[in-house]
Structures are given as C-alpha cells and as structure tokens.
Amino acid sequence: IFYFAEFGVDISLRGQQVGSLLTKKLIDYSTENNFEYLLVRTKDVNTSAIKVFEKCGFEFLCTKSATTGGKESIRVIYGLDL
C-alpha cells in the first residue's frame, strides 16, 4: 500500500491542465511501480478535480461523510484499475 497524501494546483496555474498532468504522472508512476489499483478522493464540491479524475479514467465508487477541523463535508471516492 502506498499513500500519497494530496496535491493541488495553485490558483495562478488553474485552467492550464496542470491537474491533468499531475494525475497522469501519478498514474504513470503507479504503473511503472506495479501498482494494481489507485483510489483518489476529493470534496464533492471540487468539480474541477472530479472532471480531471473522470477524464483520466477513474470511476466513481462512493461518497463518504468526513469531518475536518469541526466542519463536515462529503468526499467522493474514485478508483482506477491499472
């Protein structure tokens, strides 16, 4: 099991396909290192990340409630067979 905490795209770089590039690099790294499956999660309101994950072939799996810093949110979880 390998856990990659998180990544994001600086606001000044948004709209330049940086998120797609980072996600593809993560997929490439995982494939090269013989990973079998990837899971990603994001908040349900992060439509930009969801679009990137779907564009890169991830499939929706489920939603989960989460509490961070006393605030509740909904996380969406996607998976990808490698």
Side-chain angles (χ1 to χ4, degrees), residues 40-45 50 59-66 73-78:
V40 294
R41 71 176 183 202
T42 191
K43 291 181 180 177
D44 66 336
V45 295
I50 291 169
E59 294 183 3
F60 172 79
L61 298 175
C62 64
T63 59
K64 296 277 184 184
S65 294
S73 63
I74 303 294
R75 308 285 189 198
V76 289
I77 301 170
Y78 283 78

